[in-house]
């Protein structure tokens, strides 16, 4: 097999797990049974170890011809794939309208103030605990005055799923 050290595969959040090099048929079956369908599922969700083990336990019953070492190796293989995805470097360009003015990073839960400026809710709440003024306009502001910016949240989610790419190392 060729040495793939240093080579990388470019994928995005909405890509199916089958696009990851090295995900075989049985590993894919485990991921699907565990409820993981896309790279985004593995990147963002936690608690995957128990879900993977539960899926393997079901397969053990369905396929009794395989020994315990086979199932252990499958678990290790699935874990290695998850680690590759979780450790994948992202190279997103964050459009300014999706960036929180406080952190200059993605807004996870955008809220809008009476002045029309959007911030990430958690960061704005933290800001207002220390300073009762809008970070940009400096107008007096309380958390009760802001409301969820659902359209912006949907737009950010769409952008991240469609345009944010991950550079995943290829297997050897």
């Amino acid at each position: 097999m060729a040495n793939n050290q240093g080579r990388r595969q470019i994928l995005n959040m909405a890509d199916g797990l089958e696009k990851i090099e090295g995900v075989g048929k049985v590993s894919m079956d485990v991921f699907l049974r565990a409820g993981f369908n896309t790279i985004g599922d593995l990147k963002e969700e936690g608690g995957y170890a128990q879900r993977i083990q539960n899926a393997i336990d079901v397969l053990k019953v369905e396929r009794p011809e395989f020994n315990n070492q086979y199932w252990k190796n499958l678990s290790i293989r699935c874990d290695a794939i998850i680690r590759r995805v979780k450790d994948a470097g992202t190279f997103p360009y964050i459009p300014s309208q999706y960036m929180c003015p406080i952190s200059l990073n993605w807004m996870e839960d955008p809220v809008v103030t009476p002045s029309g400026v959007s911030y990430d809710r958690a960061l704005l709440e933290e800001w207002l605990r220390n300073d009762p003024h809008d970070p940009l306009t400096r107008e007096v502001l309380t958390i009760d005055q802001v409301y969820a910016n659902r359209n912006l949240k949907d737009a950010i989610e769409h952008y991240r799923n469609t345009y944010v790419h991950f550079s995943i190392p290829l297997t050897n």
Side-chain angles (χ1 to χ4, degrees), residues 65-83:
E65 67 273 15
F66 295 107
N67 64 24
N68 283 337
Q69 189 61 46
Y70 174 86
W71 299 113
K72 182 178 179 183
N73 290 343
L74 179 59
S75 178
I76 291 168
R77 179 79 183 130
C78 289
D79 186 58
I81 292 166
I82 292 169
R83 265 197 325 274

Side-chain angles (χ1 to χ4, degrees), residues 70-132:
Y70 174 86
W71 299 113
K72 182 178 179 183
N73 290 343
L74 179 59
S75 178
I76 291 168
R77 179 79 183 130
C78 289
D79 186 58
I81 292 166
I82 292 169
R83 265 197 325 274
R84 282 176 50 212
V85 170
K86 290 218 176 263
D87 293 343
T90 60
F91 50 95
Y93 161 74
I94 305 174
S96 61
Q97 66 269 27
Y98 301 158
M99 188 185 304
C100 177
I102 297 171
S103 68
L104 301 179
N105 207 342
W106 292 103
M107 284 187 266
E108 299 295 329
D109 183 14
V111 294
V112 65
T113 65
S115 63
V117 179
S118 290
Y119 299 96
D120 184 77
R121 180 184 303 275
L123 294 170
L124 183 60
E125 286 173 346
E126 182 180 334
W127 178 278
L128 293 175
R129 280 193 288 276
N130 299 313
D131 182 352

Side-chain angles (χ1 to χ4, degrees), residues 111-115 124 128 132 139-148:
V111 294
V112 65
T113 65
S115 63
L124 183 60
L128 293 175
E139 296 171 10
V140 174
L141 180 65
T142 65
I143 201 65
D144 297 337
Q145 293 176 283
V146 304
Y147 56 93

Side-chain angles (χ1 to χ4, degrees), residues 6-8 11 18 27 34 40-42 47-48 65 67 73 85 87 111 113 118 126 134 150 163 165:
R7 292 187 46 223
R8 302 182 80 73
L11 300 168
E18 71 280 355
S27 298
D41 293 341
L42 289 181
Y48 64 85
E65 67 273 15
N67 64 24
N73 290 343
V85 170
D87 293 343
V111 294
T113 65
S118 290
E126 182 180 334
D134 183 303
R150 290 182 187 94
Y163 299 107
H165 294 85

